[in-house]
Every structure is written in C-alpha cells, then in structure tokens.
Amino acid sequence: MEVEFDRDTCIGMFQCVVEWDAFERDEDAGKAVLEDSEEVDEDVFRREIPEDAELDAKFAARTCPVDAIVVYDDDGEQIIP
C-alpha cells in the first residue's frame, strides 16, 4: 500500500498530523510534510505505508479537507479518497 501527498494542494489544517505520525507540521511553510517520502512530481510525494500504519494512513487521507492525500492499494488502485 502506498500514500501520495500533494503538498501544493495542502492548506495546512494539519489534521493528517493528528491521524498519522508520518505527517509532520512545517509551520514556516504552513503545510504538512510526509516523512520518508520521495518527490515523484513537483510538490507530489509518495511512500510505502507500513502494514501496522495502514489504518492511520487511511484516516489521514479521509480527514484531509482538500483531498491532498491519496491512498493506493498494492495493485496501484486508488482506494481513498
């Protein structure tokens, strides 16, 4: 399972930070940061989701008010949002 985070879309509500500790606050930029991710496109970051964090990652995606977080299953199909 993977998560993709569009930092440009992020509006800095930081609800994802509350749901999953892979997200951290960047107060200077007013946006979240997805730790241990790699930039796959301009301001778009992706990383694997550890099995024990799948539920947290899904909650982070669901709570994002601007759908900046997308979760993909192991087949690459978008499952959230």
Side-chain angles (χ1 to χ4, degrees):
M1 200 172 273
E2 288 188 324
V3 63
E4 185 176 272
F5 171 58
D6 186 337
R7 186 171 159 90
D8 186 52
T9 300
C10 177
I11 59 171
M13 295 296 293
F14 302 120
Q15 292 167 320
C16 57
V17 174
V18 173
E19 297 299 335
W20 187 25
D21 61 6
F23 284 98
E24 293 188 4
R25 291 175 180 256
D26 180 348
E27 296 288 345
D28 293 332
K31 298 192 180 260
V33 174
L34 179 59
E35 293 297 314
D36 300 323
S37 64
E38 67 178 71
E39 193 168 14
V40 295
D41 201 1
E42 187 175 345
D43 270 346
V44 177
F45 298 85
R46 200 176 258 245
R47 69 169 276 182
E48 289 286 323
I49 303 169
E51 283 187 35
D52 63 344
E54 288 178 359
L55 189 58
D56 293 341
K58 290 175 182 178
F59 277 129
R62 286 188 180 116
T63 62
C64 181
V66 293
D67 296 332
I69 305 166
V70 179
V71 175
Y72 296 93
D73 67 15
D74 291 331
D75 295 324
E77 297 291 321
Q78 180 178 330
I79 57 174
I80 298 171

